[in-house]
């Protein structure tokens, strides 16, 4: 049904850059809010960034100024450009698609989809 396929993770040195990509099902991409979350070992999954269908963005304080989220509606793909990477950024990064009204009504409670995750390791 709904599928999110991530790519772009890997090993990078501190200060380096990576760009993550998430290709989503065409049936939901253009109308859903897209986002990225991450989970480090021993920690809970945390918010990284989101972008609405209209292009409005939001970032976690920890990545603001370093990461940029964007979307290409024609290609049904969301990106996360990560610059000035730090060891603290090491985590599994997950792509997320959420119905824009999910948090307003229980009718949309199940309209929340996740990718399989891609590992990002920042180390010298």
């Amino acid at each position: 049904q709904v599928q999110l396929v991530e790519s772009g993770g890997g090993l990078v040195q501190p200060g380096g850059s990576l760009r993550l990509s998430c290709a989503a099902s065409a049936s939901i991409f253009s109308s859903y809010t897209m986002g990225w979350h991450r989970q480090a070992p021993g920690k809970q999954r945390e918010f990284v960034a989101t972008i609405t269908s209209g292009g409005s963005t939001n970032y976690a304080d920890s990545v603001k100024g370093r990461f940029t989220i964007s979307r290409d509606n024609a290609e049904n793909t969301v990106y996360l450009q990560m610059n000035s990477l730090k060891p603290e950024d090491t985590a599994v990064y997950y792509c997320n698609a959420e119905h824009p009204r999910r948090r307003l009504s229980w009718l949309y409670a199940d309209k929340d989809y996740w990718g399989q995750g891609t590992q990002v390791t920042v180390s010298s």
Side-chain angles (χ1 to χ4, degrees), residues 10 20 40 56 67 80 93 107 114:
L20 305 183
S56 180
F67 291 10
L80 184 68
Y93 284 70
L107 293 173
W114 295 85

Side-chain angles (χ1 to χ4, degrees), residues 16-58:
S17 299
L18 282 175
R19 189 176 78 157
L20 305 183
S21 299
C22 174
S25 300
S27 61
I28 58 94
F29 185 84
S30 63
S31 59
Y32 275 52
T33 295
M34 303 297 298
W36 292 92
H37 293 69
R38 66 187 183 186
Q39 186 169 24
K43 296 185 177 181
Q44 292 186 306
R45 189 174 298 185
E46 65 175 351
F47 160 79
V48 175
T50 56
I51 182 167
T52 68
S53 60
S56 180
T57 60
N58 192 26

Side-chain angles (χ1 to χ4, degrees), residues 62-106:
S62 60
V63 307
K64 194 172 299 181
R66 299 188 298 120
F67 291 10
T68 302
I69 188 171
S70 61
R71 65 193 295 161
D72 185 337
N73 289 339
E75 296 295 324
N76 304 310
T77 302
V78 62
Y79 304 96
L80 184 68
Q81 178 66 46
M82 304 184 293
N83 299 325
S84 302
L85 283 163
K86 306 174 181 180
E88 307 92 88
D89 295 318
T90 296
V92 176
Y93 284 70
Y94 297 89
C95 180
N96 168 242
E98 182 178 359
H99 192 286
R101 296 216 278 171
R102 179 173 178 270
R103 306 189 182 207
L104 302 177
S105 173
W106 65 269

Side-chain angles (χ1 to χ4, degrees), residues 6-11 18-21 82 118-121:
E6 298 150 314
S7 62
L11 175 64
L18 282 175
R19 189 176 78 157
L20 305 183
S21 299
M82 304 184 293
T118 184
Q119 178 70 49
V120 172
T121 302

